[in-house]
Amino acid sequence: MLRPRTAPDHRKRYNAVAGRSIERVAALSDGVFAVAITLLVLDLHAPALELVHSEADLWHGLLALAPRLLVYVMSFMTLGIFWVGQQTQHNHTARSDRDLSWLHLAFLLAVTLMPFSTTLMAEFIRFRLAVVVYWLNILLLGVLLWFSWRYARHAGLVSGEADTEIACGIERRIIVAQSLYAFGALLCIVDTYLSLGFIALVQLNYVFAPRFGPLARI
Amino acid sequence: MLRPRTAPDHRKRYNAVAGRSIERVAALSDGVFAVAITLLVLDLHAPALELVHSEADLWHGLLALAPRLLVYVMSFMTLGIFWVGQQTQHNHTARSDRDLSWLHLAFLLAVTLMPFSTTLMAEFIRFRLAVVVYWLNILLLGVLLWFSWRYARHAGLVSGEADTEIACGIERRIIVAQSLYAFGALLCIVDTYLSLGFIALVQLNYVFAPRFGPLARI
Amino acid sequence: MLRPRTAPDHRKRYNAVAGRSIERVAALSDGVFAVAITLLVLDLHAPALELVHSEADLWHGLLALAPRLLVYVMSFMTLGIFWVGQQTQHNHTARSDRDLSWLHLAFLLAVTLMPFSTTLMAEFIRFRLAVVVYWLNILLLGVLLWFSWRYARHAGLVSGEADTEIACGIERRIIVAQSLYAFGALLCIVDTYLSLGFIALVQLNYVFAPRFGPLARI
Amino acid sequence: MLRPRTAPDHRKRYNAVAGRSIERVAALSDGVFAVAITLLVLDLHAPALELVHSEADLWHGLLALAPRLLVYVMSFMTLGIFWVGQQTQHNHTARSDRDLSWLHLAFLLAVTLMPFSTTLMAEFIRFRLAVVVYWLNILLLGVLLWFSWRYARHAGLVSGEADTEIACGIERRIIVAQSLYAFGALLCIVDTYLSLGFIALVQLNYVFAPRFGPLARI
């Protein structure tokens, strides 16, 4: 009864008209990034009122927040990098379809997990597992972004202006970045702080995009 | 005094100009979905610091989060499915009016309740009532989406491109999906885990939209 | 030094180019409404795990949430009514200027206070002061919305299509609604539940906008 | 292996196409401002239920919230001022590039820190350090906004309509405002309340933009 003869056709047709607006995907993405970015800051709690009796106490209370602030800035950078990356894809995508919408939804799922991974690493920085979870989150973001671009190209959803060079550039970018993140994660075998430091340097490189010296070649 | 003779006309005219922007309904919807999706993740708490003394402790702490993560992914899928469904309607709606705006607002009310229903089910998975509440939330989403489309068609707000076939396809889609969800909810008479598993499979089917075999006919 | 001779002119010119996008005001408003609407639901906590040992316990736990759910739905209606009202103004506004932007920002301030007023009323429904605070919040929303429309008309920011009839209709609408809310708030002298009930009926009237009988004249 | 010979070119090309949509920057900004504005209100907690036995108790409980409400309104004003300022820049920017996107992302980072700085000042108003942190947050907002405008002008991203006068007006505005904020922060040497009061007056001046008397020259 739930499978009338004509259903497959109707279904095909429904799927052909579902989720076609790349603008809506972009709007939802901006919303999710905005909330995820701001939720991260909820981890920064003001020092407890009863423990602060002098300026010096407050100063020490704020200093104690420094590691969390650093992790916060790092995660902000991560999300910023992926927001710019996703936006670049959107700008070169003419329209969406339901599969591409779902690939971007899966990407947003990985974005919403970032506050959790971040908190975990901030609290358990000395444990390798925390670094691995953080890296897995970054890997998931990269894989889904890479896959959504591959799919968009394959399904003919990319806008005409985006020539092969740009298209390949977007893919290479993701692969190089993920290789560096993976190497950084591997460093946790030596030391978790080293691992975190290396990942932070990679991120700084992508944020500031230096245009000279050896870094410009990465 | 509050009911001057000419009021009905003015009122009619006010209602005729109120809430006419489908773009604003879409923008508010994207915002609500973005917040609801991200709030769901607040249920994922990092393990308590004082309970973790080794990598193994952290591993067990994370494993204990697995059921919550599963429920989170499930609810993300639910909201994703309804976001795609609502977006498909919006794409075929030329303009809104105040009644359609309110139908979509009611739909968004059901969306904001999803984090609550999800948390409830995650904590009380062994109780049938938790499954029923979760299903009622899904039912409410379906009924409001179906009704808003019926209303849009009836009030002549659907854009010209959407032919009868597409219009019927959108309705049939909702009815088939809701029948499957209802069957899944009924399974809680046997076992609540079975119920949850079946609903998850239905959702996976709508997310991945397989194009072959018997599933393609659903 | 901070007041160079030419400053007044520059300032005038700066103010003449600041905050001119009504689309940005609309986008910020959708974001604030989306967050405020979804934050309201954070007050709905699942029953405590250790208090629930049977389906009946869960049922009673959920029943205990009913008053909060009612208040939640009421506040959702309030925010929905003002969202539709603000949107109607935006649709008839050709552009913004910095003063209109600030009037709408003040309106959004009142919107962000709604979750607080709602929680207050949900917890202290038997105290008149809680009803008064809730009503003051609604009054503030109404006054700011009325004033922003007056200003937009006065400053020539209203788009050409909006004739005098529509313009007056928008103002009358606010005044009639606020009179009814004020009457409802006054009822708290008799009983706070009566007050809440009357305000809820007024809101239901604006949500469903009945087109027949005496209510159609309000 | 990660640095193929042709990489620099590809990288340049990638950077040339990345992050070019000023609309997306605007959309993300509206989202972040919307969340940050609404999060601020989470600091307003209703009085504890068990401490309130009469209308007078509730009244005193609400009065005790007054300082927090004031700080909330102040921070809302701060964010509103910077939102209007950023929007004015966006309105005169034709397109973005990846560097401008990152400057605005850094600006949004400072926006997300505002709820923290605000809470800190609300709780530790008698400590100079709390005022200094609050001021540093405002300074960071100003510096990044000033720098992003300088960069947009330098990189030729400003739209044609914005003549030199407007462009200089936007910069002067930021410098004058920041000078006043810095003076206000300095007053904390005398008294932290004086400091806060002066900053509040500066903000009120920018919100209401009086058009007469000596204030019109600031």
Side-chain angles (χ1 to χ4, degrees):
Chain A
M1 196 178 71
L2 294 174
R3 298 175 184 174
R5 282 220 165 159
T6 52
D9 285 343
H10 282 291
R11 178 167 178 159
K12 261 184 231 157
R13 263 183 225 110
Y14 179 84
N15 283 336
V17 298
R20 293 187 62 173
S21 169
I22 190 73
E23 288 80 18
R24 288 298 298 275
V25 173
L28 185 72
S29 303
D30 287 336
V32 170
F33 271 101
V35 180
I37 279 171
T38 322
L39 277 187
L40 285 168
V41 95
L42 290 182
D43 266 356
L44 289 179
H45 298 291
L49 203 55
E50 56 275 16
L51 296 178
V52 174
H53 306 289
S54 68
E55 298 277 351
D57 288 350
L58 188 55
W59 176 249
H60 290 300
L62 290 178
L63 267 191
L65 285 176
R68 274 181 183 277
L69 188 63
L70 268 177
V71 170
Y72 172 61
V73 172
M74 241 182 98
S75 298
F76 193 95
M77 285 196 300
T78 313
L79 289 180
I81 288 166
F82 281 100
W83 180 77
V84 171
Q86 193 202 20
Q87 184 201 329
T88 306
Q89 287 194 13
H90 287 161
N91 293 350
H92 291 96
T93 306
R95 63 176 206 283
S96 185
D97 64 11
R98 67 166 300 294
D99 290 332
L100 189 63
S101 293
W102 272 105
L103 281 169
H104 279 288
L105 279 170
F107 173 76
L108 293 179
L109 174 67
V111 168
T112 64
L113 290 175
M114 206 69 210
F116 170 75
S117 311
T118 303
T119 311
L120 194 76
M121 195 170 65
E123 296 200 349
F124 299 101
I125 171 67
R126 285 183 302 171
F127 294 100
R128 281 172 199 156
L129 190 54
V131 176
V132 170
V133 168
Y134 186 72
W135 167 69
L136 281 175
N137 204 152
I138 290 180
L139 179 69
L140 192 61
L141 286 165
V143 167
L144 287 164
L145 206 55
W146 181 84
F147 201 64
S148 68
W149 183 242
R150 291 287 292 187
Y151 175 79
R153 287 184 71 188
H154 182 261
L157 304 170
V158 168
S159 64
E161 319 155 24
D163 53 28
T164 320
E165 221 167 324
I166 289 174
C168 293
I170 289 176
E171 284 175 36
R172 183 181 295 110
R173 176 80 163 195
I174 296 171
I175 291 167
V176 172
Q178 288 296 330
S179 306
L180 291 169
Y181 289 132
F183 178 74
L186 262 177
L187 288 176
C188 79
I189 296 173
V190 185
D191 184 63
T192 54
Y193 286 98
L194 183 68
S195 194
L196 191 63
F198 185 84
I199 291 177
L201 285 178
V202 173
Q203 291 174 329
L204 281 171
N205 172 54
Y206 283 114
V207 171
F208 289 103
R211 263 137 234 163
F212 46 85
L215 281 172
R217 298 198 197 152
I218 300 175
Chain B
M1 195 179 71
L2 294 174
R3 299 174 184 176
R5 283 222 165 158
T6 53
D9 285 344
H10 282 292
R11 178 169 177 160
K12 260 184 230 156
R13 263 183 226 110
Y14 178 85
N15 282 337
V17 298
R20 293 186 64 173
S21 169
I22 190 72
E23 288 80 19
R24 288 297 299 275
V25 173
L28 185 72
S29 302
D30 287 335
V32 169
F33 271 101
V35 181
I37 279 172
T38 321
L39 278 187
L40 285 168
V41 95
L42 290 181
D43 266 356
L44 289 179
H45 298 291
L49 203 56
E50 56 274 16
L51 296 178
V52 175
H53 307 289
S54 67
E55 299 276 351
D57 288 350
L58 188 55
W59 176 250
H60 289 301
L62 291 178
L63 267 191
L65 284 176
R68 274 181 183 277
L69 187 64
L70 268 177
V71 170
Y72 172 61
V73 172
M74 240 182 99
S75 298
F76 193 96
M77 284 196 300
T78 313
L79 289 180
I81 288 166
F82 281 101
W83 179 77
V84 171
Q86 193 202 21
Q87 184 201 330
T88 306
Q89 287 194 13
H90 287 161
N91 292 350
H92 290 96
T93 307
R95 63 176 206 284
S96 185
D97 64 10
R98 66 167 299 295
D99 290 332
L100 189 63
S101 293
W102 273 106
L103 281 169
H104 279 288
L105 279 169
F107 173 76
L108 293 178
L109 175 66
V111 169
T112 63
L113 290 174
M114 207 68 209
F116 171 75
S117 311
T118 303
T119 311
L120 194 76
M121 195 171 65
E123 297 201 348
F124 300 101
I125 171 66
R126 285 183 303 171
F127 294 99
R128 280 171 199 157
L129 191 55
V131 176
V132 170
V133 168
Y134 187 71
W135 167 68
L136 280 175
N137 204 152
I138 290 181
L139 180 69
L140 192 61
L141 285 165
V143 167
L144 287 164
L145 205 55
W146 181 84
F147 201 65
S148 68
W149 183 242
R150 291 287 291 187
Y151 175 79
R153 287 183 71 189
H154 182 261
L157 303 170
V158 167
S159 63
E161 319 154 24
D163 51 29
T164 320
E165 221 168 323
I166 289 173
C168 292
I170 289 175
E171 283 176 38
R172 183 181 295 110
R173 175 81 162 195
I174 297 171
I175 291 168
V176 172
Q178 288 296 329
S179 306
L180 291 168
Y181 288 132
F183 177 73
L186 262 178
L187 288 177
C188 79
I189 298 173
V190 186
D191 183 64
T192 52
Y193 287 98
L194 183 68
S195 194
L196 191 64
F198 185 84
I199 292 176
L201 285 179
V202 173
Q203 291 174 330
L204 282 172
N205 172 54
Y206 282 114
V207 171
F208 289 102
R211 261 137 235 162
F212 45 84
L215 281 171
R217 298 199 197 150
I218 299 176
Chain C
M1 195 178 73
L2 294 175
R3 297 174 185 176
R5 283 222 164 158
T6 52
D9 284 343
H10 281 292
R11 177 167 177 160
K12 260 184 233 157
R13 264 183 224 110
Y14 178 83
N15 282 337
V17 298
R20 294 186 64 173
S21 169
I22 190 72
E23 288 80 19
R24 289 297 298 274
V25 174
L28 186 72
S29 303
D30 287 334
V32 170
F33 270 102
V35 181
I37 279 172
T38 321
L39 277 186
L40 285 168
V41 94
L42 290 181
D43 266 355
L44 289 179
H45 298 292
L49 202 57
E50 56 275 17
L51 297 178
V52 174
H53 306 291
S54 67
E55 298 277 350
D57 288 350
L58 188 55
W59 176 249
H60 289 300
L62 291 177
L63 268 191
L65 285 176
R68 274 181 183 278
L69 187 64
L70 268 176
V71 170
Y72 172 61
V73 172
M74 239 181 100
S75 299
F76 193 97
M77 284 195 301
T78 314
L79 288 180
I81 288 166
F82 281 101
W83 179 76
V84 171
Q86 193 201 22
Q87 184 201 329
T88 307
Q89 287 194 13
H90 287 161
N91 292 349
H92 291 96
T93 306
R95 63 176 206 282
S96 185
D97 64 10
R98 66 167 299 295
D99 290 332
L100 189 63
S101 293
W102 272 105
L103 281 169
H104 278 289
L105 278 170
F107 173 76
L108 292 179
L109 175 66
V111 168
T112 63
L113 290 174
M114 206 69 209
F116 171 75
S117 312
T118 303
T119 310
L120 195 76
M121 195 171 64
E123 297 202 347
F124 301 100
I125 171 65
R126 287 183 301 172
F127 294 100
R128 280 172 200 156
L129 191 55
V131 176
V132 170
V133 168
Y134 187 72
W135 166 68
L136 280 175
N137 204 152
I138 290 180
L139 180 68
L140 192 61
L141 285 166
V143 167
L144 287 165
L145 205 55
W146 181 84
F147 201 65
S148 68
W149 183 241
R150 292 287 292 185
Y151 174 79
R153 287 185 70 189
H154 182 261
L157 303 171
V158 168
S159 63
E161 319 154 23
D163 54 26
T164 321
E165 220 166 321
I166 289 174
C168 292
I170 288 176
E171 284 176 36
R172 184 182 294 110
R173 175 81 163 195
I174 296 171
I175 292 166
V176 171
Q178 288 296 329
S179 307
L180 291 168
Y181 288 131
F183 178 73
L186 262 178
L187 287 177
C188 79
I189 298 172
V190 185
D191 184 64
T192 52
Y193 287 98
L194 184 68
S195 194
L196 191 63
F198 185 84
I199 291 176
L201 285 178
V202 173
Q203 291 174 329
L204 281 172
N205 172 55
Y206 283 113
V207 172
F208 289 103
R211 262 136 233 164
F212 46 83
L215 281 171
R217 297 199 197 149
I218 298 174
Chain D
M1 194 177 74
L2 294 175
R3 298 174 185 175
R5 281 221 165 157
T6 52
D9 284 342
H10 282 292
R11 177 167 177 160
K12 260 185 231 156
R13 264 183 225 111
Y14 179 84
N15 283 335
V17 298
R20 294 186 63 172
S21 168
I22 190 72
E23 288 81 19
R24 289 297 299 275
V25 173
L28 186 71
S29 303
D30 287 335
V32 170
F33 271 101
V35 180
I37 279 172
T38 321
L39 278 186
L40 284 168
V41 95
L42 290 181
D43 266 355
L44 288 180
H45 297 292
L49 202 56
E50 56 276 16
L51 296 178
V52 175
H53 306 290
S54 67
E55 298 277 351
D57 288 350
L58 187 55
W59 176 249
H60 289 300
L62 290 178
L63 267 191
L65 284 176
R68 273 181 183 277
L69 188 63
L70 268 177
V71 170
Y72 172 61
V73 172
M74 240 181 99
S75 297
F76 192 97
M77 284 196 300
T78 313
L79 288 180
I81 288 166
F82 281 100
W83 179 76
V84 171
Q86 193 202 20
Q87 184 201 331
T88 306
Q89 287 194 13
H90 287 161
N91 293 350
H92 290 96
T93 306
R95 63 176 206 284
S96 185
D97 63 11
R98 67 166 300 294
D99 291 332
L100 189 63
S101 292
W102 272 105
L103 281 169
H104 279 288
L105 278 170
F107 173 77
L108 293 179
L109 175 66
V111 168
T112 63
L113 289 174
M114 206 70 209
F116 171 75
S117 312
T118 303
T119 311
L120 194 76
M121 194 171 65
E123 297 202 349
F124 300 100
I125 171 67
R126 286 183 303 172
F127 294 100
R128 281 172 199 156
L129 190 54
V131 176
V132 170
V133 168
Y134 187 73
W135 166 69
L136 281 175
N137 204 151
I138 290 179
L139 180 68
L140 191 61
L141 286 165
V143 166
L144 286 165
L145 206 53
W146 180 84
F147 201 65
S148 68
W149 183 242
R150 291 287 291 186
Y151 175 78
R153 288 185 69 190
H154 183 261
L157 304 170
V158 168
S159 63
E161 320 154 23
D163 53 27
T164 320
E165 222 167 320
I166 289 174
C168 292
I170 288 176
E171 284 176 36
R172 184 183 294 109
R173 175 79 161 196
I174 296 171
I175 291 167
V176 172
Q178 288 295 330
S179 306
L180 291 168
Y181 289 132
F183 178 73
L186 261 178
L187 288 177
C188 79
I189 296 172
V190 185
D191 185 64
T192 53
Y193 287 97
L194 184 67
S195 194
L196 191 62
F198 184 84
I199 292 177
L201 285 178
V202 173
Q203 291 175 328
L204 281 171
N205 172 56
Y206 283 113
V207 172
F208 289 103
R211 263 135 232 164
F212 47 83
L215 281 172
R217 296 197 198 151
I218 299 173

